[in-house]
Amino acid sequence: MSSAYAPPLQEIEFVLDTVARLDELASLPAFAHVDPDTVKGALQEAGRWVSEIVAPLNHSGDRQHSVRHPDGTVTTPDGFRGAYQQWVTAGWGSVPFPTEYGGGGFPWTVGVAVHEMLASANMALSLCPLLTQGAIDLLLAHGSDAQRARYLPAMINGEWTGTMNLTEPHAGSDVGALTTKATQDADGRWRVSGQKIFITYGEHDLAPNIVHLVLARVPDAPPGSRGISCFAVPKRLINPDGSLGQANQVTCLSIEEKLGIHASPTCVLAFEDAYAELIGEPNRGMQYMFTMMNNARLSVGLQGVAVGQAAYQQAVDYARERIQARTLDPRSTAIIGHPDVRRMLLTQKATLEAARALVYLVAGALDQADSHPDQSVRDEQHELVELLTPVAKAWSTDIGVTTTSLALQVHGGMGYIEETGIAQYYRDSRIAPIYEGTNGIQAIDLVTRKLPRRDGMVVKELIARMAEAERDLAQAEHGLKQLTPALSDALDALTQATEHLQQAQLEDKLAGASPYLEMMGLVVGGWLMAHEAMAAQHQLGQTTCHDEAFLEAKLVTTRFYLRQLLPKARALLPAVIAGAGDLMEMPPEQF
Ligand SMILES: Cc1cc2nc3c(=O)[nH]c(=O)nc-3n(C[C@H](O)[C@H](O)[C@H](O)COP(=O)(O)OP(=O)(O)OC[C@H]3O[C@@H](n4cnc5c(N)ncnc54)[C@H](O)[C@@H]3O)c2cc1C
């Protein structure tokens, strides 16, 4: 009963052009071979493939689940193997990686666009390449030449997959509490022993080998996160000629029964004296994790947008068909004619567009930070990435939950019935605020580590940049000028909140962290929507690749966001500045 996913290519291309600035990225020497038109052609092909091959497996995969067998092997749902093989053959996973190891050498931003469509079509399947991407990033940054040569070509082309093994039963957000051990043989080879939980695609049948990146402690390691080392532990050992050798001592003990992403096997893995290779130096594992964390967190933020988008499309289809009570809208007898249903749909559309813009802004900045020839530009873009990554992760995944919930609500009682398929999006999206650092941890990172950067100047410069757009908006046409006070007020609230938190005591900062992150997401989203609307206004009446109806809709969506959603930014101010008093006053037993 669920409707087909149609990739929002026009919207993705518009954001690539106006927010991520694909043309500027393509002009960097590192991307000399990248032509924006070719990129758009490739995205259309990726969109066609995900909608025809991957999306039809989404609901069947949810019903069938991945299954663990008594011998510890895991089978993914019907059709997953074939679809994954096509992903490998087409080379979609290799798009953003260096050509030296068989990658496409494209900007990270292009890979983000491919991943958005894959995750919309089938979030559970998309997690396998996503985790592989994280493992590749870490090996690229910290693996030795020999390790890169051994692992990267097969991982980049997707022939082998990768996992990230941090979590243990008593070590979740507090990764430093982990106890998995690594010891050295008499011949100097490392062996890892311990148990990891919640390992995404820790065992599966999509590929013959899995490269587990495992955090463990070497003998005499300092306590906490300063004593964590990173190891590569392949499921099957690799012979000197590159062929696969014997099985390593890694066992999938069980897979979790979950709320959503049923097709993604979430494994308990036991490592029993498993052969391992140390990555980099001992006790620097957490530091290494941080280097790939921005990319990984951004990819999870993208999941919020992607799943929200798929649910939104289905809600629109349903609202166009379901007839219930006479509407006051002469254009439609279906529920899409009711203002309250319109509110639900427009809230989804507007917040998803704002969150997508935020994610693609950070993706473009990541590319500039990695590849711009000018060091000062690289530094500036890196600072922007650092500041906005926790917001892109947490705000976008919270939006994933609120928009899928609204999409379900549009279906009325049928939304609560699994047959409709909409409930799956709601269930699937719920994990994204939890993994890759809970959203609470993201907010704490924002206020304690990111706001103080360069004596508070990084956030101040971002606010100043947003204030410039406010001045441009005041000159704009098509009803955009009237939105200036809304953006000004939100920026004023963000400035007050920021200055307050910069002076606050630690406990008060921690208390205000989550509402502050939400405020920052709303305001940055408003700024980017205003920026997009000004670009749309400029393109109206000109010959562009975007049709007039799309550009007009962008203006309406922006007006709705700035006038009706953005004012919540000021409403969050009391919660940001209240301090820890009310929260911490009651003794725990009174809850
Ligand atoms: C489906 C799924 C897939 C996963 N995939 C992987 C994977 O591939 N690899 C992997 O290593 N892990 C994976 N995880 C684990 C995931 O990253 C952790 O669940 C997550 O980091 C939270 O840890 P926790 O579950 O122990 O929660 P806890 O850390 O116990 O947190 C519980 C609550 O307390 C809050 N909290 C904790 N500490 C603080 C603090 N200092 N200040 C304020 N609030 C705090 C949290 O925000 C949260 O709301 C996965 C989990 C799931 C469910």
Side-chain angles (χ1 to χ4, degrees):
M1 199 166 160
S2 57
S3 50
Y5 166 66
L9 283 163
Q10 182 145 221
E11 169 69 14
I12 291 175
E13 288 177 11
F14 188 77
V15 176
L16 285 174
D17 287 341
T18 59
V19 178
R21 302 307 309 258
L22 184 60
D23 55 343
E24 276 180 25
L25 293 178
S27 71
L28 300 179
F31 303 123
H33 65 294
V34 175
D35 161 42
D37 288 335
T38 312
V39 167
K40 289 174 187 169
L43 291 179
Q44 283 174 10
E45 176 53 20
R48 184 200 61 74
W49 179 73
V50 301
S51 57
E52 287 177 10
I53 305 295
V54 184
L57 303 174
N58 193 34
H59 298 301
S60 56
D62 179 58
R63 283 193 296 275
Q64 198 180 347
H65 295 218
S66 277
V67 177
R68 178 189 173 276
H69 304 285
D71 64 355
T73 58
V74 170
T75 316
T76 53
D78 294 344
F80 273 46
R81 276 173 66 104
Y84 184 75
Q85 274 318 309
Q86 291 188 27
W87 165 266
V88 174
T89 307
W92 293 120
S94 66
V95 162
F97 293 113
T99 48
E100 187 186 350
Y101 298 105
F106 284 85
W108 188 257
T109 308
V110 178
V112 162
V114 173
H115 260 272
E116 174 185 335
M117 296 188 282
L118 183 68
S120 283
N122 194 323
M123 177 173 165
L125 177 59
S126 77
L127 283 167
C128 186
L130 188 74
L131 269 292
T132 306
Q133 212 172 61
I136 293 169
D137 262 348
L138 196 139
L139 286 164
L140 267 173
H142 304 293
S144 65
D145 288 346
Q147 287 166 340
R148 291 183 195 192
R150 183 153 45 253
Y151 294 116
L152 287 179
M155 292 173 78
I156 286 176
N157 75 22
E159 197 186 324
W160 299 347
T161 67
T163 65
M164 304 302 290
N165 290 248
L166 288 76
T167 309
E168 298 177 10
H170 45 275
S173 302
D174 185 8
V175 180
L178 66 83
T179 58
T180 294
K181 288 190 174 24
T183 49
Q184 263 174 310
D185 276 349
D187 61 2
R189 286 186 80 176
W190 287 98
R191 304 278 201 130
V192 165
S193 294
Q195 201 177 98
K196 296 285 180 181
I197 61 167
F198 296 154
I199 305 309
T200 299
Y201 279 91
E203 176 55 31
H204 60 78
D205 60 353
L206 301 182
N209 206 9
I210 305 174
V211 181
H212 302 290
L213 293 189
V214 182
L215 294 188
R217 290 183 180 287
V218 299
D220 303 322
S225 54
R226 287 179 303 117
I228 289 175
S229 307
C230 183
F231 293 86
V233 184
K235 171 179 160 177
R236 290 187 53 193
L237 301 181
I238 297 143
N239 296 322
D241 66 357
S243 62
L244 292 183
Q246 70 183 78
N248 206 351
Q249 283 97 277
V250 185
T251 314
C252 172
L253 298 181
S254 62
I255 60 177
E256 306 293 347
E257 185 60 41
K258 308 190 292 292
L259 177 67
I261 51 167
H262 291 152
S264 164
T266 305
C267 304
V268 175
L269 291 186
F271 296 86
E272 291 164 281
D273 262 346
Y275 285 109
E277 288 180 47
L278 178 68
I279 308 290
E281 294 169 30
N283 301 325
R284 298 192 61 190
M286 277 312 280
Q287 221 173 313
Y288 298 162
M289 283 287 153
F290 274 108
T291 54
M292 51 72 68
M293 224 166 237
N294 285 334
N295 293 8
R297 291 188 164 170
L298 190 66
S299 301
V300 173
L302 182 71
Q303 289 175 355
V305 177
V307 181
Q309 174 70 34
Y312 162 70
Q313 286 185 358
Q314 188 172 324
V316 171
D317 288 349
Y318 189 82
R320 283 189 183 131
E321 283 170 16
R322 171 77 173 159
I323 296 176
Q324 204 64 195
R326 196 170 65 82
T327 72
L328 301 178
D329 185 345
R331 294 166 303 179
S332 177
T333 53
I335 59 170
I336 200 165
H338 294 306
D340 193 55
V341 174
R342 285 295 182 108
R343 176 176 296 287
M344 290 191 274
L345 293 175
L346 205 45
T347 301
Q348 291 167 69
K349 179 170 164 56
T351 46
L352 288 167
E353 287 182 17
R356 179 182 288 104
L358 169 59
V359 170
Y360 282 66
L361 175 81
V362 179
L366 265 168
D367 281 318
Q368 300 270 8
D370 284 345
S371 303
H372 200 284
D374 182 339
Q375 180 69 43
S376 64
V377 176
R378 288 207 298 275
D379 292 345
E380 181 198 331
Q381 295 293 317
H382 179 71
E383 286 179 337
L384 185 68
V385 168
E386 289 274 296
L387 177 67
L388 288 181
T389 296
V391 187
K393 192 276 172 178
W395 190 61
S396 308
T397 54
D398 281 341
I399 276 174
V401 177
T402 53
T403 54
T404 51
S405 174
L406 279 172
L408 188 153
Q409 188 74 13
V410 168
H411 287 69
M414 285 309 289
Y416 204 66
I417 308 301
E418 287 289 350
E419 184 196 349
T420 338
I422 197 76
Q424 184 193 346
Y425 294 123
Y426 182 50
R427 291 186 283 100
D428 285 355
S429 72
R430 191 60 191 84
I431 183 57
I434 297 172
Y435 58 23
E436 200 50 52
T438 64
N439 284 0
I441 298 292
Q442 303 298 324
I444 292 169
D445 176 46
L446 176 66
V447 299
T448 59
R449 294 181 61 239
K450 305 301 170 61
L451 288 192
R453 288 282 159 92
R454 203 156 35 87
D455 288 331
M457 287 308 292
V458 177
V459 64
K460 206 168 173 184
E461 284 167 9
L462 174 66
I463 293 174
R465 197 172 152 193
M466 294 196 275
E468 273 171 36
E470 178 195 335
R471 285 189 284 279
D472 294 341
L473 198 61
Q475 312 296 323
E477 295 165 5
H478 297 275
L480 294 179
K481 191 188 309 204
Q482 286 87 321
L483 304 179
T484 317
L487 187 57
S488 306
D489 189 55
L491 278 171
D492 183 60
L494 183 67
T495 306
Q496 282 182 52
T498 305
E499 288 172 357
H500 179 90
L501 287 185
Q502 282 172 331
Q503 308 297 326
Q505 297 297 313
L506 179 61
E507 200 182 19
D508 296 332
K509 278 189 189 153
L510 298 178
S514 284
Y516 178 75
L517 184 144
E518 185 182 356
M519 181 193 271
M520 174 86 100
L522 272 165
V523 178
V524 173
W527 162 55
L528 293 172
M529 288 299 282
H531 174 79
E532 284 188 23
M534 285 188 279
Q537 171 213 259
H538 185 69
Q539 290 182 23
L540 270 170
Q542 293 186 7
T543 321
T544 73
C545 53
H546 305 292
D547 64 45
E548 298 260 318
F550 170 84
L551 298 170
E552 295 281 4
K554 183 64 83 178
L555 299 180
V556 175
T557 310
T558 303
R559 284 200 289 272
F560 174 75
Y561 185 100
L562 267 78
R563 282 207 286 240
Q564 302 200 34
L565 302 180
L566 188 56
K568 190 181 175 195
R570 181 164 291 283
L572 287 163
L573 189 57
V576 177
I577 65 177
D582 293 343
L583 299 177
M584 302 308 281
E585 191 178 325
M586 268 193 318
E589 58 272 18
Q590 286 304 316
F591 280 86

